[in-house]
Amino acid sequence: MGGGTLSVGGVSAGELAEKYGTPLYVTDLDRVQERYSSAARALASRHGRCLLAFAYKSNSTPEVVESLARLGAGATVVSVAGVELSGAVGVSHENVVFDGPSKSKAELAAAIKGKVGMINAESTQEVLDIDALCGTLGVSGCRVGFRVNFGIAAPTHPGLATGSSTHKFGVPREEVVRFCTEAAPRLKHAMVVGLHSHVGSQVADTEVFRQEAEELVRLADELRKVGTGIGEFNFGGGLGVDYTGSGGALGFEGYADATAGTFSRLGGDRDARLVFELGRSIVADSTVMLTKVNYVKMAGTTPWALVDAGMNDFIRPALYGAYHDIVPARVADSTESGASYDIGGPVCETTDVFGSGRKLGVKLAQGDLLAVLDAGAYGTSMASTYNMRPLPATVLVTKGRHRLARQFRL
Ligand code: LLP
């Protein structure tokens, strides 16, 4: 048996696949913690009061969010289950941020009762609804932010851009000013104390984050004049990662400088809390998805490797045409080869493909093990049971040891 080279956190991928089966997500928890710590450090060096509220939607594996909570991470959640999970892993309620463009009354009630640190509203009606619900629930002092739509077009995949003025996200800045002038003083139980902006995901452009910071500071100045004091500035998430190895990622230092750094340089309130909802950049490179080759065959002139993971297990390539490196993890014949493959899954959908024309450096055979890299963000969290397939398992590796993760199920 040749190959068998890939290891995650010091543990052989082949061994893990044998023990736990495939498809299998393998997450290096130490790497998650390392990424979080360098992001938190970069932000803290620019502003005294920062909260990195990890975006649970990017990875909701309980052990992952728990390990982040232990390091002091807050939580950005968008569902009742998210509020519950953040509490269960020990995030204190004031460090929980509740987002979402279309929250139901039940979701708002859960956020209010959970006394989350901030509910970021995406319409003026939502703020009025929160105020009324607080009255019904007997809660006062509920902290509300406005997610503002500044009309910033983020350079990213169109499916990941959220900041343009016609997108469904946020409230136009003029409407925020009008509300704070006319309606905010009449709120009985809720108070507008936050501003929030998230212009998109997988963004690698400093200028966008700098512009966002500038807009937030400027709007807060304007709101102060109409009697609304802003104590929390939320820059959303969105920092891109380098999936292709082209070196195009911004990195935490560049990101921190563009956001918190710009905030400070513009004379933003030193006592304000700055919140960052990073998800992808914290977890993406912590995880690989292992998948076994079921069949190798020719389709016309195209060589295919058909694997046992499908788009239900990992949907990013099918949904966004996202590129993920695929490498051999354990192969029977590791003799160097220039063969290239289209790599597809078992689901009867033409887009159930993880990569096309991939040169893996080896000739593949039935039973070989491949690894799809950088699968830690929006991998397991977007997995589904489509085709009545089971959800993929996740194994956690830390300090050279491995164990099966709890499965997050609703
Ligand atoms: N905050 C808000 C309001 C968001 O909508 C998101 C992501 C984040 C924070 C976290 O963004 P991040 O730092 O992870 O980029 N499924 C897609 C990504 C969708 C992002 C949705 N919102 C993907 O697989 O690329």
Side-chain angles (χ1 to χ4, degrees):
M1 189 95 172
T5 47
L6 187 77
S7 66
V8 182
V11 181
S12 143
E15 230 173 80
L16 293 173
E18 252 160 51
K19 181 169 168 64
Y20 300 102
T22 51
L24 182 71
Y25 279 89
V26 183
T27 295
D28 180 350
L29 266 186
D30 303 337
R31 179 66 181 161
V32 172
Q33 297 207 319
E34 195 181 303
R35 292 290 290 168
Y36 171 85
S37 299
S38 45
R41 253 195 323 271
L43 292 166
S45 71
R46 266 86 179 180
H47 183 83
R49 266 190 89 201
C50 286
L51 175 71
L52 182 38
F54 176 65
Y56 278 31
K57 65 173 79 167
S58 66
N59 189 318
S60 35
T61 302
E63 286 86 348
V64 168
V65 296
E66 189 168 38
S67 76
L68 292 175
R70 275 202 303 274
L71 296 179
T76 298
V77 300
V78 290
S79 61
V80 176
V83 175
E84 289 169 357
L85 179 59
S86 66
V89 300
V91 178
S92 61
H93 58 90
E94 67 274 13
N95 291 339
V96 178
V97 180
F98 197 95
D99 290 347
S102 180
K103 308 175 193 77
S104 68
K105 294 276 162 56
E107 287 169 332
L108 287 175
I112 293 165
K113 283 194 269 186
K115 295 198 174 356
V116 301
M118 188 69 73
I119 302 175
N120 286 313
E122 304 215 16
S123 68
T124 50
Q125 183 61 47
E126 186 184 336
V127 180
L128 299 175
D129 288 355
I130 292 169
D131 196 46
L133 267 168
C134 286
T136 314
L137 296 168
V139 173
S140 61
C142 178
R143 292 159 52 81
V144 175
F146 266 117
R147 176 171 178 177
V148 189
N149 185 322
F150 292 111
I152 300 174
T156 183
H157 183 281
L160 304 181
T162 56
S164 294
S165 56
T166 53
H167 281 139
K168 68 179 176 182
F169 303 99
V171 183
R173 108 187 269 295
E174 315 74 61
E175 208 178 322
V176 173
V177 175
R178 206 177 319 125
F179 185 90
C180 289
T181 310
E182 294 164 8
R186 293 200 300 275
L187 295 173
K188 291 198 186 68
H189 315 282
M191 44 194 193
V192 177
V193 290
L195 290 179
H196 174 225
S197 165
H198 171 81
V199 296
S201 195
Q202 185 57 11
V203 176
D205 183 355
T206 323
E207 187 50 31
V208 164
F209 292 116
R210 202 196 49 71
Q211 196 184 339
E212 197 178 19
E214 207 175 292
E215 293 282 7
L216 287 169
V217 172
R218 250 199 285 151
L219 179 54
D221 283 346
E222 200 170 330
L223 294 183
R224 192 179 315 114
K225 291 182 192 132
V226 300
T228 297
I230 297 300
E232 180 158 316
F233 294 80
N234 185 323
F235 293 82
L239 174 61
V241 303
D242 185 9
Y243 287 111
T244 57
S246 63
L250 192 52
F252 292 132
E253 286 297 326
Y255 173 76
D257 196 59
T259 53
T262 301
F263 184 86
S264 296
R265 284 191 290 276
L266 293 177
D269 180 358
R270 294 165 67 127
D271 296 326
R273 176 159 91 158
L274 305 192
V275 179
F276 302 88
E277 303 179 330
L278 298 177
R280 185 193 310 272
S281 49
I282 307 294
V283 287
D285 73 359
S286 67
T287 301
V288 304
M289 184 186 65
L290 299 179
T291 181
K292 206 164 254 181
V293 177
N294 279 338
Y295 300 99
V296 178
K297 72 174 189 187
M298 292 298 291
T301 53
T302 303
W304 279 90
L306 298 168
V307 296
D308 65 358
M311 63 196 288
N312 70 296
D313 301 297
F314 187 54
I315 203 172
R316 300 198 73 254
L319 193 55
Y320 315 109
Y323 179 90
H324 283 259
D325 256 344
I326 301 174
V327 300
R330 174 186 277 184
V331 293
D333 179 0
S334 57
T335 316
E336 206 169 306
S337 156
S340 67
Y341 298 91
D342 283 19
I343 297 163
V347 175
C348 191
E349 295 247 9
T350 311
T351 57
D352 184 28
V353 173
F354 294 115
S356 300
R358 298 297 181 92
K359 282 202 168 69
L360 306 176
V362 292
K363 197 162 174 295
L364 291 177
Q366 194 169 49
D368 284 348
L369 188 66
L370 303 180
V372 179
L373 305 188
D374 303 321
Y378 306 102
T380 51
S381 65
M382 291 181 84
S384 76
T385 56
Y386 182 42
N387 272 224
M388 300 173 74
R389 287 168 53 80
L391 288 174
T394 300
V395 161
L396 304 163
V397 176
T398 174
K399 316 226 178 327
R401 301 168 68 89
H402 49 89
R403 70 192 142 107
L404 207 54
R406 277 173 278 161
Q407 187 82 256
F408 183 70
R409 285 185 202 282
L410 292 171

